[in-house]
Amino acid sequence: MSRALKWCITIAAGAGVFASGCWLCLYLGYPSGDAIGLAAIPSALLTLPLAWWAGRERAAHPPALGSNSEVRNTMSGNASAVVQVRDIHGDVHVHAEKAPTAADGQVVVGLIPHEPPNFQPPWQVETLAGLSGEICVVCAVTGQRGVGKTQVAAAYARRRVRDGWLVAWISAESADLLQAGMTQLADRLGLRSPEDDADTTVARVRDYLQTRRAPALLVFDNLAAPDAVKPHLPAAGAVQVVITSTDRGTERVGRAVPVDVFTEETALNFLQEATGIDDIDGARQVAHELGFLPLALTQAAPRIRIARSYASYLAQFRRFPVDQYLIRRDGDSYPLGVATVILMALESFYSAESTTDSELLDGLAVLSPDGVSREILAVEQEASSVDEALARLHNASVVELAGPGEQAVIMHRLVQRVVRDRCRTTGSYKRVMLREAERLDQLTFDTTYSWAWRSEGDELVRQIEALWDNVDKSENIEVVAEILELRIWAFKHLAVTALLARAIPLAEAVYNDARSVLGEDHLHSLTSANELAFAYRSAGRLDKAIALYEQNFADIRRVLGEDDPITLISANNLAFAYESAWRLDEAIPLLEQTLADRRRVLGEDHPDTLSSANNLAGAYTSAERLDEAIPLLERTLADRRRVLGEDHPNTLTSANNLAGAYESTGYLDEAISIYRKVLADRRRVLGEDHPDTLTSANNLAGVYRSKGRPGEAISLFEKTFADIRRVLGDEHPKTLTSANNLAMSYQSVGRLDEAVSLLGRTLADRRRVLGEDHPDTLTSANNLAAAYRSAGRLDRAILLYEQTLANAGRVLGEDHPLTGTVRGNLEACRPS
């Protein structure tokens, strides 16, 4: 229901109750002034909740530079080892997604087109079925645009859905879309969760399909580059792969299944069924005129049915003023005959009194050719009117419907291209692009909710990138700026959901595009720099992140001034990056200044102010300044409970961090009590598998270890490590932290072989994922050396301690606590 209609209902209901109340009071003899006052009470009681209902939005937009970074690093332990405990912030898990199924236990992924009216089953479907018995067969369905390659694959996919197979339909027009489709399949199979690496996800899907014994079908639709799909192809298993492409080179990837135009017999059968006109000679003339191309015949059939004559349609076709709507580009193989058929099919929709049909046509032409959900198309419009318009477009064969419940709408790429060129020649293209950018902007949400709403967010990313691909970048600067702002949201969403392999290239592209088109000092350029730095930091690329954050902070201070809230966000983010790199001497002064500035500019209770207080307290804890950390954490927790509520994720973060500080001071009973409550609250509020919940379990296990309860610690560490590997993946930094902590627990009870083995793998993984100089890598090296020492392997321990001491002194400085820990461990190892 549109917001306008909701407000009409609200106003009408309030006015109706007020009028009725006044009449009743006057009827009972009350004075007019009293009657008005009494009638206003029930009217207000009804209008207030209705006004909230009418005015509420799905979620707030994120601030210009995104939310403040909040991560707590707590380190505790003895002289020989460093136990790492981390908190994770920013993601709110609202609900767990359930895989859409065609039947119990059957997974069906992607927008499989529905069968179109008067569909002529192609012989290629039987060819594909005949090849399905072979091991991991790859079939390449190729042909020119408009011959029905996608319909061949869709007909076969629909058959295999009925047969109970696992079926995945993946758009392969770009590497980004291909990877997004594989990620969606991983979600449905339970192979990916928040913050998983994209390459790891794709590899897991491929490995799963290679070992799957039950039959499965994987369709890569509209593949643009044959080499792009090769890393995703299983080498074994019962899966069948079908690839559709206009590139004949795709036939080198698998068995060739070519698709051509209709035969004369098929074309005549189609026209007779679709038009209901029994005129073989007339049908033959039309089929020849349109080159037997399935797309052209499909578009022509509804108009022929209206004209009630093939001859009448041909006359209209030959005199249609196609040059008024299309511009023939030099060297462009534009199928002018098909374009004429398409424009004739669209003519009635542009001339209709209702604008819904034409707006839908124009919008679909600039959005993703792989499908647009009805939810997007219905923004600011009545859902019923959109459904009626889509039914008319579908009946005219202008669009196809796909997905469960026909919730997705697909427009053929050639139809899109004709509509876009028509908009350009009529001068409406800029207006269309702005309208669709505003439509998508209304659907963006605070990226705090990105994990819970990742399916909705992923579709928005797809639509935003399609809009960017279609914008005339050299002509419409206003439109370019609008879409760049949307793209900033898009890569922030990808980064928050840890699709960093997609997020970082997109962030780099947006950063460069914004600077070149809008200038280095434009707010979008400054924002994109901040978010690119965020993506670098999330991937553990701290050197690049800090360099970009420093430049961004300087630029924002110069452009916006010292006290602008965006400047203070930039300062907070730079300080957090310093803390992530253990550069506490730089982090703490900047955090102290930012907190003071935010208190002065924003007020004591502003959420950003409370974030700064939390981050400063975390830095104090990391620097072992616990006398300053604990009072600040206690005050911040009380303030967040009062301002945000008991169950807000940031409130739970403050409670977790306070427990960590208590643990560092030896108040273990207090720490255990708080950790247990935070774990229970996070399970209830965020869900069992949310990264924050898993962090709480890890923290509780750590304090059990400190308390001398190794059995409980190891049991909880093992369960948490298994859960984190399942949720985040084997190589995620937080998985590696969990592995480190479990290994240290093994060492504490004398299970040295297990400790050495796990620490060795963790060190190797951290070197590969984070780099030799990352603080976590140095921590792993120190801990492995400690395990060697406990196992009596002093030569290996000393060698690794010496190497780690040199690296820590170079990277962190000679006075850093970790450097001092390694130095002390090395001295204790050497003979006196």
Side-chain angles (χ1 to χ4, degrees), residues 31 58 72 77 120 183 213 244 270 308 310 362 370 372 418 471 500 529 668 694 707 732 734 797 802:
R58 183 173 174 182
R72 171 76 176 89
Q120 304 293 305
T183 300
R213 296 185 179 180
T244 73
F270 171 78
R308 301 182 180 179
Y310 291 110
D362 294 343
D370 299 300
V372 184
V418 170
V471 70
L500 296 176
L668 300 184
L694 299 177
K707 184 68 173 174
H732 191 278
K734 295 174 179 63
E802 289 175 338

Side-chain angles (χ1 to χ4, degrees), residues 486-721:
L486 288 171
R487 295 179 83 205
I488 292 169
W489 178 91
F491 70 67
K492 180 63 181 294
H493 167 79
L494 293 175
V496 169
T497 54
L499 296 174
L500 296 176
R502 293 173 59 197
I504 289 176
L506 177 57
E508 291 172 336
V510 174
Y511 173 66
N512 292 326
D513 290 339
R515 287 163 64 90
S516 63
V517 176
L518 304 176
E520 294 185 2
D521 290 344
H522 192 281
L523 182 59
H524 291 351
S525 301
L526 301 174
T527 301
S528 64
N530 177 83
E531 300 299 357
L532 175 57
F534 169 79
Y536 285 150
R537 181 178 60 76
S538 299
R541 294 157 67 173
L542 294 179
D543 290 346
K544 297 194 74 169
I546 288 173
L548 190 52
Y549 271 136
E550 288 175 334
Q551 182 61 53
N552 183 242
F553 181 43
D555 291 340
I556 288 177
R557 291 172 69 186
R558 173 175 51 80
V559 174
L560 300 180
E562 295 281 349
D563 288 344
D564 190 277
I566 295 177
T567 306
L568 301 179
I569 289 175
S570 181
N572 173 85
N573 293 346
L574 173 59
F576 170 69
Y578 284 150
E579 184 183 355
S580 298
W582 289 7
R583 293 166 58 175
L584 299 177
D585 289 344
E586 295 163 279
I588 289 175
L590 185 53
L591 284 168
E592 290 173 334
Q593 183 62 53
T594 304
L595 176 58
D597 290 341
R598 278 179 160 168
R599 283 174 171 165
R600 174 173 51 82
V601 174
L602 304 175
E604 293 280 348
D605 289 344
H606 192 283
D608 286 1
T609 305
L610 300 179
S611 292
S612 281
N614 174 82
N615 292 349
L616 176 58
Y620 283 155
T621 304
S622 297
E624 300 181 359
R625 294 165 60 175
L626 297 173
D627 290 343
E628 296 166 277
I630 290 177
L632 185 54
L633 285 167
E634 291 173 335
R635 176 183 171 184
T636 305
L637 175 58
D639 289 342
R640 278 182 159 170
R641 283 174 171 161
R642 174 174 50 82
V643 174
L644 303 177
E646 291 279 349
D647 287 344
H648 192 282
N650 287 352
T651 304
L652 300 179
T653 292
S654 284
N656 174 87
N657 294 349
L658 178 59
Y662 284 158
E663 181 183 1
S664 297
T665 58
Y667 298 149
L668 300 184
D669 291 335
E670 291 86 345
I672 289 174
S673 177
I674 296 175
Y675 275 143
R676 281 176 172 169
K677 185 178 187 308
V678 173
L679 176 58
D681 289 342
R682 280 176 164 171
R683 282 174 172 164
R684 173 174 51 84
V685 174
L686 305 178
E688 292 279 349
D689 284 347
H690 191 279
D692 285 7
T693 306
L694 299 177
T695 293
S696 285
N698 183 80
N699 291 349
L700 180 58
V703 76
Y704 282 156
R705 175 180 178 273
S706 300
K707 184 68 173 174
R709 296 159 63 175
E712 293 171 276
I714 289 175
S715 176
L716 188 52
F717 268 137
E718 288 177 333
K719 182 182 185 304
T720 305
F721 180 46

